[in-house]
Amino acid sequence: MIQIAPSMLAADFLHLSESVETVNKYADIFHLDIMDGMFVPNISFGFPVVEAIAKVAQKPMDVHLMIRHPEVYIERFAAVGASMISFHLEACHDPEPILGLVRNNGAKAGLVINPDKPVESLFPYLENCDFILLMSVFAGFGGQKFIEETIVRVRTLREEIDRRGLRCPIEVDGGINPQNAPLLIEAGAEILVAGSSVFRSSDPESTINAMRGL
């Protein structure tokens, strides 16, 4: 089943409860982008916003850490209810202990790479990942244009995962809309993160269903 994960980075923060209700009613996962202003040149939101969403979230929370030293914050994000926690391969020297830390705190562990990082760099860690997040834009800002090469990257990663007989869903984040979603799904993606295309839509339910292929 294809899952749609609206990115709360694109939500209307003056009317956050309405954006939360959109996810609760029509989508599958809350995608929460956490930025520290150091790993990426932007700052998003922190624990107060995550905790506020957690109080009313009826769908799982997927925390994407675009930060240095992700290991410092994993326990706290898990404690506020994150079901999925991912961090960038580029942000650490050895991801294995951090993947273990995520799991030990009861969440699914994922690795993320930017579009300029070869997908083969993920291969040594696939057995220890519960999911992989491929960025289809560069991490740090919403509203960027989808990078078409991502489709080939998804297909390459899916072939390797299947070759090893692993159950490791591929999540894709950045510039996803009803036009490119079918191509990503055909290539092997199972979780699609969509911010602007959902929250700026006049009909979020129809947009989400279109990305699912309904």
Side-chain angles (χ1 to χ4, degrees), residues 14-189:
L14 284 178
H15 305 92
L16 185 58
S17 61
E18 295 177 12
S19 296
V20 169
E21 189 60 20
T22 294
V23 181
N24 279 335
K25 290 172 67 175
Y26 306 125
D28 306 291
I29 298 170
F30 286 89
H31 187 82
L32 306 172
D33 290 308
I34 308 300
M35 308 179 193
D36 62 0
M38 294 182 290
F39 180 71
V40 293
N42 198 6
I43 296 174
S44 57
F45 47 80
F47 289 107
V49 172
V50 176
E51 289 168 352
I53 293 172
K55 289 177 182 178
V56 291
Q58 298 171 13
K59 303 294 174 69
M61 295 195 306
D62 169 23
V63 171
H64 170 198
L65 298 177
M66 306 182 197
I67 65 175
R68 294 181 183 175
H69 309 297
E71 67 277 5
V72 175
Y73 297 100
I74 283 169
E75 184 175 356
R76 190 170 173 188
F77 278 113
V80 300
S83 299
M84 303 163 65
I85 300 176
S86 59
F87 59 95
H88 279 256
L89 181 59
E90 302 98 324
C92 57
H93 295 296
D94 182 6
E96 299 279 12
I98 308 175
L99 291 167
L101 181 62
V102 174
R103 282 211 194 85
N104 289 341
N105 279 277
K108 293 181 179 179
L111 270 180
V112 193
I113 56 170
N114 270 314
D116 59 349
K117 189 84 170 175
V119 291
E120 290 80 7
S121 64
L122 295 164
F123 288 2
Y125 312 108
L126 290 178
E127 275 81 4
N128 292 320
C129 291
D130 296 306
F131 65 102
I132 293 293
L133 173 53
L134 291 182
M135 296 300 298
S136 44
V137 299
F138 283 90
F141 294 92
Q144 297 180 62
K145 184 179 179 181
F146 178 80
I147 297 174
E148 297 290 338
E149 185 186 352
T150 305
I151 296 165
V152 176
R153 288 162 60 80
V154 171
R155 186 172 291 112
T156 299
L157 181 59
R158 169 54 58 199
E159 288 172 354
E160 182 64 17
I161 289 171
D162 290 349
R163 187 185 70 79
R164 300 190 192 188
L166 302 175
R167 176 67 189 125
C168 184
I170 299 173
E171 182 175 9
V172 185
D173 180 3
I176 298 175
N177 55 43
Q179 289 69 51
N180 55 40
L183 301 175
L184 291 166
I185 293 168
E186 187 277 331

